[in-house]
Amino acid sequence: MKKITSLGYDVVFEDDLNELQSFLIDHDYSQLLILVDRNTNDHCLPVLQASIPDILDYDIIEVDPGEENKNIDFCIGVWKTMLDFGADRKALMLNLGGGVVTDMGGFAAATYKRGIDFINVPTTLLSQVDASVGGKTGIDLDNVKNIIGTFTQPQAVFISTVFLKTLDDRQIRSGFAEIIKHGLIQDKDLYNKCRSLTLPVVPNEIVYESVQIKNKVITEDPTEKGLRKILNFGHTIGHAIEGYSLVNDQSPLLHGEAIAIGMICEAYLSHRVNNLDDTELEDIVQYLKAVYPAYSIDPSIYPVLVDLMRNDKKNENNQLGFALLRSIGDCDYNKYVDEDLIIESLDYYRNLTK
Amino acid sequence: MKKITSLGYDVVFEDDLNELQSFLIDHDYSQLLILVDRNTNDHCLPVLQASIPDILDYDIIEVDPGEENKNIDFCIGVWKTMLDFGADRKALMLNLGGGVVTDMGGFAAATYKRGIDFINVPTTLLSQVDASVGGKTGIDLDNVKNIIGTFTQPQAVFISTVFLKTLDDRQIRSGFAEIIKHGLIQDKDLYNKCRSLTLPVVPNEIVYESVQIKNKVITEDPTEKGLRKILNFGHTIGHAIEGYSLVNDQSPLLHGEAIAIGMICEAYLSHRVNNLDDTELEDIVQYLKAVYPAYSIDPSIYPVLVDLMRNDKKNENNQLGFALLRSIGDCDYNKYVDEDLIIESLDYYRNLTK
């Protein structure tokens, strides 16, 4: 068992759920509300239930899985169910699931009766490495991602390898994109370790190192005034592609798949305007191409993508700000890039995948 | 011009809007969003607009007036409009209106892009004395009042007498009930000053003293664990009567009118179970009778009123907890009263108004 201390709470890494059980025994909550989606209800809840102390009453709230359901309508449903269950201010919300469940459950808890406690038990690789630290809660509105939310820290996060066994190869690869990103922006060693792995096996040590990097960044800049923006590498373009795919594709891209595309485009931008050298660009691009499937982007949708980028909540004064690599393991932020160059980077990706 | 420092921000009292103007000039906000309702759009916005520095772009967001519109649907409308206006994280929300506008606007700002700054410019006497300190933001859900919200402090609050001129006598008297309450629970001098006033003129000095009292209480107990409960004097019974009237009367009672009835009943309870003496009870009752119109309560609705009191979200373990006076200027909280005695207090009010 290992721990990382984040902003006032612990992120616990374990191979079972013993620490989670101790937490529930040690705290005096009036009741427990467990938020799940259909998948975690079937595959993860049975594992969790064995760890809930007998003394604690609990109720289950289920939402539909998938980013397209991380919206205000489902959130209203969660709030109403909390009311129906008579949850008072001393209730604890336990979010059991991927980023959709932890983001929405965190937001519902942070705003119910002006805030009740919550803990996160992320069950996907993506949510373990991405949503476990940082205190971001949120939901989408009109397909704009996480546009409504708060910065609210959970009481604790429990990362257990028992849940990774429930994931398929595609989900593992999606989460792995964020680990690659953490290597690219802060730690060349981690990037090289990623490169030498044979997926879909991801050792707990790599998850731990990845969360450590993210935690270091967000504790230095909890509310994203500066440094924390480097975590957006690959996300300005990646989020736009993800948003487009969600609405237009029958089988939409997973988050990490879209971010992998975003990282290719933004590595290209890093090369063009931030001195990332040829060799490193080539290394990154070939690696990401090998791990993630090609996605077809027609030039006719470029304006839609650029509009989606402009709506990104990270922009200020209508300028498109990017996190761009200087080299592998070193990243700058607040790099403003003209629309022409963004188009050029999308063309670069298109040509790679032709 | 006077100032009160609340939880990390200033409440400014002025007869014009000079300090508000200085605030807008001194801060480097990217844009200004002004939330109004139809009434403040017509009567208060023109006054405000003259004070907005030329350098600052602003957009207007309008919601329908009235507590029945302080709900998630209108809030979604506000969020979407913020998005349409391209509001970024350096935008400032200015809530211009009564409690509905400041509560909902505060919540929308606290959750938009994980929180942007907001300032409140309360335009009713009620919101000036009641909603200007405390940091409560919120909306109603399924007619449960303020069930979704946050504790988030504004950057500043500007209380100007210029807006009181837009109110009619009835609205002034409604807001004035909260001032009388602040005197009754904490400050006999303020109560006596109230008694010597000729309404509807309310000097800024009285508003200032009233906010000072509330601020003292809430800074001692920001999250309502104890002392802050004395602010509920008159509200347990008053809220029930207000809720009943909203649904059943063609021209429902205003908040303060209902609270005045609640204060008479709860002064009676204070006399019966908390040693409030005859003379003071008589003094309070005669004064409130003189300021507020009589309201007819038929004994057949007593059970409905008691049910409404039981549903109040401040109750714990199904017991009816009251804030009760010991004497004028001195109040206790967590006083539990049997249903028979509550009925007796309603009969007391009925006999007064026969």
Side-chain angles (χ1 to χ4, degrees):
Chain A
M1 194 271 293
K2 282 184 172 174
K3 276 185 191 179
I4 291 175
T5 300
S6 192
L7 300 161
Y9 67 93
D10 284 336
V11 183
V12 176
F13 296 78
E14 53 186 343
D15 288 319
D16 42 41
L17 291 168
N18 289 345
E19 290 290 316
L20 169 58
Q21 186 169 43
S22 302
F23 177 94
L24 294 174
I25 291 169
D26 293 347
H27 288 76
D28 186 28
Y29 289 106
S30 61
Q31 78 196 90
L32 179 61
L33 302 160
I34 303 176
L35 185 68
V36 294
D37 64 22
R38 203 181 314 121
N39 299 329
T40 57
N41 186 59
D42 293 350
H43 302 298
C44 304
L45 187 60
V47 182
L48 177 77
Q49 275 166 323
S51 294
I52 299 174
D54 292 340
I55 41 155
L56 203 55
D57 280 338
Y58 65 90
D59 293 294
I60 310 294
I61 306 177
E62 188 181 314
V63 292
D64 284 0
E67 180 72 33
E68 67 276 22
N69 297 310
K70 201 178 86 174
N71 56 37
I72 188 67
D73 294 327
F74 266 96
C75 187
I76 291 171
V78 173
W79 282 327
K80 288 188 177 179
T81 312
M82 293 168 84
L83 260 179
D84 289 345
F85 284 143
D88 64 25
R89 285 177 174 162
K90 287 184 174 165
L92 176 72
M93 184 95 146
L94 186 159
N95 302 311
L96 180 72
V100 172
V101 167
T102 58
D103 283 6
M104 183 156 69
F107 180 66
T111 53
Y112 179 78
K113 297 194 174 180
R114 298 203 179 91
I116 65 167
D117 283 356
F118 65 98
I119 60 176
N120 289 338
V121 183
T123 57
T124 64
L125 182 60
L126 179 63
S127 61
Q128 292 189 347
V129 296
D130 196 36
S132 56
V133 294
K136 287 186 174 180
T137 78
I139 52 172
D140 309 338
L141 187 71
D142 279 355
N143 296 317
V144 186
K145 285 198 56 158
N146 298 321
I147 199 75
I148 304 305
T150 61
F151 283 107
T152 311
Q153 309 301 328
Q155 297 302 302
V157 174
F158 299 90
I159 292 182
S160 175
T161 46
V162 295
F163 298 118
L164 295 186
K165 294 166 195 152
T166 66
L167 302 176
D168 63 24
D169 180 78
R170 199 180 157 203
Q171 286 175 301
I172 293 282
R173 280 170 200 267
S174 172
F176 196 64
E178 295 287 346
I179 300 181
I180 298 173
K181 184 198 76 181
H182 290 155
L184 285 174
I185 61 174
Q186 282 268 291
D187 189 337
K188 193 167 182 174
D189 280 353
L190 176 61
Y191 174 75
N192 287 332
K193 279 186 200 165
C194 288
R195 255 190 143 313
S196 67
L197 277 184
T198 309
L199 292 179
V201 176
V202 180
N204 215 345
E205 183 60 26
I206 297 278
V207 178
Y208 175 76
E209 281 181 32
S210 178
V211 174
Q212 251 185 334
I213 290 170
K214 177 160 185 183
N215 189 50
K216 193 173 131 244
V217 172
I218 64 103
T219 46
E220 270 184 54
D221 175 23
T223 54
E224 204 161 353
K225 306 284 187 226
L227 181 68
R228 185 168 177 165
K229 293 181 184 178
I230 65 170
L231 296 170
N232 297 324
F233 175 67
H235 281 61
T236 307
I237 293 177
H239 265 164
I241 291 170
E242 184 183 10
Y244 175 85
S245 174
L246 264 179
V247 177
N248 294 284
D249 295 336
Q250 202 134 29
S251 169
L253 289 170
L254 296 181
H255 175 73
E257 292 168 345
I259 295 313
I261 301 169
M263 287 196 285
I264 291 177
C265 294
E266 295 181 23
Y268 175 79
L269 293 177
S270 304
H271 171 63
R272 290 282 275 109
V273 303
N274 211 37
N275 298 320
L276 179 72
D277 73 28
D278 278 328
T279 328
E280 292 205 325
L281 172 64
E282 193 61 18
D283 189 282
I284 296 165
V285 168
Q286 290 313 319
Y287 176 47
L288 291 173
K289 262 188 73 177
V291 178
Y292 297 96
Y295 180 69
S296 153
I297 301 174
D298 193 85
S300 63
I301 69 160
Y302 287 176
V304 183
L305 294 177
V306 172
D307 265 2
L308 284 166
M309 291 174 215
R310 289 202 188 285
N311 271 337
D312 194 296
K313 66 189 168 306
K314 278 149 199 132
N315 293 321
E316 282 163 15
N317 304 319
N318 206 29
Q319 281 191 293
L320 285 170
F322 284 83
L324 296 181
L325 303 177
R326 207 177 307 151
S327 61
I328 291 174
D330 192 3
C331 189
D332 295 309
Y333 56 89
N334 284 353
K335 306 301 281 187
Y336 298 100
V337 174
D338 285 342
E339 201 172 310
D340 293 353
L341 214 52
I342 296 170
I343 302 292
E344 203 178 300
S345 78
L346 292 166
D347 273 335
Y348 175 78
Y349 179 77
R350 278 189 72 232
N351 288 327
L352 280 180
T353 52
K354 258 181 189 168
Chain B
M1 193 272 294
K2 283 183 169 173
K3 278 183 189 178
I4 290 174
T5 300
S6 190
L7 301 161
Y9 68 94
D10 284 336
V11 184
V12 176
F13 296 78
E14 53 186 343
D15 288 319
D16 42 40
L17 291 167
N18 290 344
E19 290 291 316
L20 169 59
Q21 186 169 41
S22 302
F23 177 93
L24 294 174
I25 291 169
D26 293 348
H27 289 76
D28 187 28
Y29 289 107
S30 60
Q31 76 196 91
L32 180 62
L33 301 159
I34 303 176
L35 185 69
V36 294
D37 64 22
R38 204 181 311 122
N39 299 329
T40 56
N41 186 58
D42 292 350
H43 301 299
C44 304
L45 187 58
V47 182
L48 176 76
Q49 276 165 323
S51 293
I52 299 174
D54 292 339
I55 40 154
L56 203 56
D57 281 340
Y58 66 89
D59 294 294
I60 310 294
I61 305 176
E62 188 181 315
V63 293
D64 284 0
E67 180 74 30
E68 68 275 23
N69 297 311
K70 202 178 85 174
N71 56 38
I72 188 66
D73 295 327
F74 264 95
C75 188
I76 291 171
V78 173
W79 282 328
K80 288 188 177 181
T81 313
M82 292 167 84
L83 212 48
D84 287 345
F85 285 144
D88 66 25
R89 282 178 173 169
K90 288 188 173 163
L92 176 72
M93 184 94 145
L94 186 160
N95 301 311
L96 180 71
V100 172
V101 166
T102 58
D103 283 6
M104 183 156 68
F107 180 66
T111 53
Y112 179 78
K113 299 192 176 184
R114 298 203 179 91
I116 64 167
D117 283 357
F118 66 98
I119 59 176
N120 288 337
V121 184
T123 56
T124 64
L125 183 59
L126 180 63
S127 60
Q128 291 188 347
V129 297
D130 198 34
S132 57
V133 295
K136 288 185 176 178
T137 79
I139 52 172
D140 308 338
L141 187 71
D142 280 355
N143 295 319
V144 187
K145 282 192 64 156
N146 299 320
I147 198 75
I148 304 304
T150 60
F151 282 106
T152 311
Q153 309 302 327
Q155 297 302 303
V157 174
F158 298 90
I159 293 182
S160 174
T161 47
V162 295
F163 298 117
L164 297 186
K165 294 167 194 153
T166 66
L167 303 175
D168 63 24
D169 180 79
R170 201 179 155 203
Q171 286 175 299
I172 293 282
R173 280 170 201 265
S174 171
F176 196 64
E178 294 287 345
I179 300 182
I180 298 172
K181 183 197 76 182
H182 289 154
L184 285 173
I185 61 175
Q186 282 269 291
D187 187 338
K188 192 169 183 173
D189 279 353
L190 175 61
Y191 173 74
N192 287 331
K193 280 186 200 165
C194 288
R195 254 189 145 311
S196 67
L197 277 185
T198 310
L199 291 178
V201 176
V202 180
N204 216 342
E205 181 61 27
I206 297 279
V207 178
Y208 174 78
E209 283 181 30
S210 178
V211 174
Q212 249 186 335
I213 290 169
K214 177 160 186 186
N215 189 51
K216 194 174 130 242
V217 173
I218 65 104
T219 47
E220 270 185 53
D221 176 23
T223 53
E224 203 161 352
K225 307 280 187 230
L227 181 67
R228 188 168 177 164
K229 293 182 184 177
I230 65 170
L231 296 170
N232 296 324
F233 175 66
H235 282 62
T236 308
I237 294 178
H239 264 163
I241 292 171
E242 184 184 9
Y244 175 83
S245 175
L246 264 178
V247 179
N248 294 282
D249 295 336
Q250 201 135 30
S251 169
L253 289 170
L254 295 181
H255 176 74
E257 291 169 345
I259 296 312
I261 301 168
M263 288 196 286
I264 290 176
C265 296
E266 295 181 23
Y268 176 80
L269 293 176
S270 304
H271 171 64
R272 290 281 276 107
V273 303
N274 210 37
N275 298 321
L276 179 71
D277 73 28
D278 277 328
T279 329
E280 291 204 326
L281 173 64
E282 193 62 17
D283 190 282
I284 295 165
V285 168
Q286 291 312 319
Y287 176 47
L288 290 172
K289 262 188 73 177
V291 178
Y292 297 95
Y295 181 70
S296 155
I297 301 175
D298 194 87
S300 63
I301 69 162
Y302 287 177
V304 183
L305 294 178
V306 172
D307 266 1
L308 282 166
M309 291 174 217
R310 288 201 189 286
N311 279 335
D312 195 299
K313 73 174 184 301
K314 284 171 187 105
N315 292 324
E316 281 163 20
N317 307 320
N318 206 27
Q319 280 192 299
L320 286 170
F322 285 83
L324 295 181
L325 303 177
R326 207 177 305 152
S327 62
I328 292 174
D330 192 3
C331 190
D332 295 310
Y333 56 89
N334 284 352
K335 306 299 283 187
Y336 298 100
V337 174
D338 285 343
E339 198 172 312
D340 293 354
L341 213 51
I342 297 169
I343 302 293
E344 203 177 300
S345 79
L346 291 167
D347 272 334
Y348 175 78
Y349 179 78
R350 279 189 72 233
N351 289 327
L352 281 180
T353 51
K354 257 181 187 167

